[in-house]
């Protein structure tokens, strides 16, 4: 009798857990993303963002590598950076050092919108920023754009052409054109204890032209990656980006241009 009662209790517990799991991952999530889901900007969220740059010549010979990392916190309509470090090395397999702290970015607070693309933004608020710092700020904004721009149009395993955000962007040090952004909702997963939609994105053959100091550069960019968006509060739980940029660099006073390419790797991890 005791064995029978114990078996019944275990069976009931299993049934309850199974029912809860079904509620946690409803079948509807595999048909349509919840269009009524809104991002609550009053909820504070922080991320550690790490970007690695690897430079090569056209024969794939390693030249140098760089890393910039920092913590970005979002609250209401603002973003704030802290603990931003920059490191570089000319040894490919060497572990990155922590690098030099970018003190001018400590507790820097701003509104993350299209104004951060302009030269006026940096001349007014961050005159010390170099292209690596600029990219840090632009990439954070880019993840939000990719996560939310086409949310209502995505269908499971169907590639969506994001024509609404294809355009040439005028940025503080030149131009960058997104020519063919594609986003696919691959399915759902669980990360940081939250059920998330997995979004794959890619953008190929994007022209860029940059000028900074005594250097001018033209080239093209391919980039792609994934973004994990919570289906409970629409916050980004994790994102990554991989990029391949072929460059033709002209330095004033140098007789020949420098031809090569840079690969970039970005990891955006939510801090609990």
């Amino acid at each position: 009798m005791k064995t029978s009662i114990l078996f019944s209790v275990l069976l009931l517990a299993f049934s309850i857990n199974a029912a809860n799991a079904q509620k946690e991952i409803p079948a509807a999530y595999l048909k349509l993303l919840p269009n009524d889901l809104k991002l609550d900007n009053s909820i504070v969220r922080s991320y550690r963002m790490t970007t690695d740059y690897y430079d090569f010549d056209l024969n794939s010979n390693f030249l140098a590598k760089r890393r910039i990392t920092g913590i970005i916190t979002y609250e209401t309509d603002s973003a704030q950076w802290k603990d931003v470090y920059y490191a570089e090395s000319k040894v490919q397999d060497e572990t990155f050092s922590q690098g030099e702290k970018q003190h001018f970015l400590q507790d820097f607070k701003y509104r993350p919108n299209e104004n951060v693309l302009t030269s006026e933004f940096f001349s007014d608020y961050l005159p010390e920023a170099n292209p690596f710092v600029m990219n840090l700020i632009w990439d954070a904004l880019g993840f939000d754009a990719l996560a939310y721009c086409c949310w209502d149009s995505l269908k499971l395993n169907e590639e969506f052409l994001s024509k609404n955000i294809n355009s040439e962007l005028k940025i503080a040090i030149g131009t960058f054109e997104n020519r063919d952004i594609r986003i696919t909702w691959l399915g759902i997963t669980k990360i940081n204890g939250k059920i998330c939609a997995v979004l794959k994105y890619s953008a190929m053959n994007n022209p860029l032209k940059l000028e900074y100091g005594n250097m001018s550069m033209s080239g093209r960019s391919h980039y792609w990656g994934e973004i994990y968006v919570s289906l409970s509060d629409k916050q980004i739980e994790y994102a990554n980006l991989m990029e391949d940029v072929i460059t033709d660099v002209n330095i004033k006073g140098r007789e020949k241009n420098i031809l090569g390419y840079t690969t970039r790797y970005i990891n955006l991890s939510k801090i609990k």
Side-chain angles (χ1 to χ4, degrees), residues 3-268:
T3 302
S4 177
I5 293 173
L6 178 61
F7 177 78
S8 299
V9 170
L10 290 174
L11 183 63
L12 177 61
F14 177 80
S15 300
I16 292 172
N17 288 335
N20 288 337
Q22 288 179 345
K23 289 179 181 178
E24 191 176 28
I25 311 176
Y29 281 176
L30 295 179
K31 294 180 181 178
L32 290 173
L33 290 172
N35 292 340
D36 59 344
L37 185 61
K38 304 297 181 184
L39 177 64
D40 187 352
N41 285 322
S42 67
I43 301 175
V44 179
R45 60 195 193 280
S46 296
Y47 303 87
R48 180 176 299 279
M49 188 168 172
T50 301
T51 306
D52 292 342
Y53 296 75
Y54 288 81
D55 298 331
F56 299 86
D57 66 21
L58 291 183
N59 292 316
S60 299
N61 296 308
F62 172 78
L63 301 175
K65 65 180 183 179
R66 300 168 180 82
R67 168 173 287 181
I68 186 165
T69 184
I71 294 174
I72 183 170
T73 298
Y74 295 95
E75 184 176 9
T76 313
D77 61 349
S78 69
Q80 186 171 26
W81 288 96
K82 70 174 184 178
D83 298 338
V84 177
Y85 289 86
Y86 172 82
E88 58 184 37
S89 173
K90 291 191 175 181
V91 181
Q92 185 171 7
D93 298 329
E94 182 179 71
T95 300
F96 277 109
S97 65
Q98 184 181 32
E100 182 179 350
K101 188 168 184 178
Q102 307 300 291
H103 293 283
F104 66 93
L105 272 175
Q106 188 68 16
D107 298 325
F108 174 66
K109 196 172 186 177
Y110 62 100
R111 290 186 177 183
N113 55 36
E114 64 277 2
N115 290 332
V116 305
L117 299 175
T118 66
S119 58
E120 290 79 12
F121 174 83
F122 291 98
S123 61
D124 290 345
Y125 303 110
L126 289 175
E128 301 161 280
N130 59 32
F132 301 104
V133 169
M134 294 177 186
N135 274 338
L136 189 74
I137 292 172
W138 295 337
D139 289 328
L141 184 67
F143 280 128
D144 276 353
L146 290 165
Y148 306 128
C149 69
C150 308
W151 183 267
D152 295 344
S153 302
L154 299 180
K155 297 180 181 179
L156 186 63
N157 292 324
E158 293 186 18
E159 188 175 70
F160 182 78
L161 304 182
S162 309
K163 296 180 180 179
N164 59 320
I165 57 173
N166 287 336
S167 64
E168 183 179 74
L169 300 174
K170 292 183 178 181
I171 57 179
I173 52 176
T175 60
F176 184 95
E177 182 181 355
N178 287 298
R179 279 191 171 175
D180 186 23
I181 296 177
R182 298 166 181 250
I183 300 178
T184 306
W185 169 33
L186 295 181
I188 58 175
T189 190
K190 193 172 187 178
I191 187 171
N192 298 333
K194 294 184 178 181
I195 303 300
C196 295
V198 182
L199 308 183
K200 180 184 75 172
Y201 65 89
S202 66
M204 302 296 180
N205 300 307
N206 309 295
L208 68 140
K209 293 182 179 180
L210 306 177
E211 290 190 13
Y212 182 74
N214 65 345
M215 180 272 292
S216 62
M217 181 178 75
S218 61
R220 75 99 184 100
S221 161
H222 298 327
Y223 68 88
W224 61 95
E226 297 88 33
I227 303 175
Y228 297 65
V229 182
S230 169
L231 293 175
S232 59
D233 57 24
K234 213 174 183 179
Q235 290 189 12
I236 294 174
E237 292 297 320
Y238 171 78
N240 61 49
L241 178 144
M242 287 150 279
E243 186 177 24
D244 172 63
V245 186
I246 293 178
T247 56
D248 180 353
V249 179
N250 175 267
I251 298 177
K252 291 178 181 178
R254 187 184 178 101
E255 185 176 344
K256 292 184 179 181
N257 286 10
I258 302 171
L259 304 178
Y261 67 92
T262 298
T263 55
R264 290 205 312 150
Y265 307 90
I266 303 179
N267 184 295
L268 184 76

